[in-house]
Amino acid sequence: MDIFFTVFNLVYVVIFFIAIFISLKFEWGEEYKDERGKSISNKSYSIVFPLLPLGWLFLELYNRFISTLDYDAYKLAIWFLVTGLLILQATILSVLKRKY
């Protein structure tokens, strides 16, 4: 089971770095500088970043009322929350670039 978890983490980190590359390529590129690019960026941020406090709230509610998480599990959950939202933001950027 440890091997499966290690492989999952490795694949997840690779996907995370690809998402970071997509986001930075878009924001540092020429496409971001026009009105369409700024609209796409604002739309992706407006979808993703309200999910951060919502995810943190659910994590805190789970931690306080359902089951207490130890420190390592809490760190891992926060890491997956933040990186997952960045992956989601890059995915939304890619979809909106094709849509508009």
Side-chain angles (χ1 to χ4, degrees), residues 29-46:
E30 291 295 320
E31 193 173 12
Y32 177 75
K33 294 178 182 169
D34 63 354
E35 192 64 33
R36 176 184 161 268
K38 291 186 188 217
S39 172
I40 290 171
S41 180
N42 289 339
K43 181 70 174 173
S44 69
Y45 287 139
S46 70

Side-chain angles (χ1 to χ4, degrees), residues 39-67:
S39 172
I40 290 171
S41 180
N42 289 339
K43 181 70 174 173
S44 69
Y45 287 139
S46 70
I47 292 171
V48 170
F49 285 113
L51 296 175
L52 181 64
L54 187 64
W56 203 328
L57 173 69
F58 287 143
L59 185 61
E60 274 298 313
L61 290 175
Y62 179 83
N63 187 36
R64 290 184 186 205
F65 298 116
I66 296 175
S67 176

